[in-house]
Structure formats: structure tokens, C-alpha cells
Amino acid sequence: MNKKLIKFVQTNVSRETGVPLNVDGDAGKKTRAALLRIPQLPNHWETERLVIGYVQYLCTKHNINAGPLDGRWGPQTEQGYEELLGETPSLWRAD
């Protein structure tokens, strides 16, 4: 996993869960704990799968097809992630 992906996940999961995270690109214990607050993510997954699964979950939430929520990085997840990056500023705008 690259730091850019982890920072993206940290920023978004912190906003969604209200868990303050240091957006440092390190998927440590606090990032894992925040990800485990997302009910759609299985708690038995390793942290890497949780990070990828969260990207897939966000895609589904924003009507982007990233394939199944399986925590595995593949072409559909990559395309969905790229679409999310293009939409990120509008995803979290204040209504």
C-alpha cells in the first residue's frame, strides 16, 4: 500500500467516524480501530484488507462500481479509487 492511499483513507474514515487520526500514511493501530467502526468491514481482516475494503465501501457509497467489497486490490478497485480521487472535494462538502 502506498502512503497516498493510506492518507486518503485516514482522512475520509476520520471524517466519517469522528475518530481523530494523524494523517501520516501509516496504517497503524488507530487507523485500524477507526476502520473497524465501519460495520460493512469484517473485523477479522488484516489492516491492509481493511484499507482496501474501505476504498471499495466508499466507491459503493458514491455509486462507483469498484467490484465486490472483498478487501482485494484489482483493476475495478483501482478505477474506483481514481474516480474517488477526482470527486474527493465534492464528497465532503457542507450541505
Side-chain angles (χ1 to χ4, degrees), residues 39-56:
Q40 292 81 355
L41 300 178
N43 61 10
H44 64 275
W45 280 0
E46 297 293 327
T47 302
E48 182 174 344
R49 281 187 79 184
L50 288 170
V51 168
I52 295 167
Y54 184 73
V55 170
Q56 294 167 334

Side-chain angles (χ1 to χ4, degrees), residues 1-10 13 25-28 31-32 35-36 41-42 45-58 69 71-73 77 81 84:
M1 284 187 302
N2 66 49
K3 287 190 177 281
K4 181 179 177 181
L5 171 65
I6 296 168
K7 286 180 178 182
F8 172 82
V9 167
Q10 287 172 323
V13 77
D26 178 26
T31 299
R32 179 178 174 80
L35 288 165
L36 290 174
L41 300 178
W45 280 0
E46 297 293 327
T47 302
E48 182 174 344
R49 281 187 79 184
L50 288 170
V51 168
I52 295 167
Y54 184 73
V55 170
Q56 294 167 334
Y57 158 77
L58 275 182
L69 200 159
R72 307 278 186 210
W73 192 267
T77 302
Y81 173 61
L84 283 173

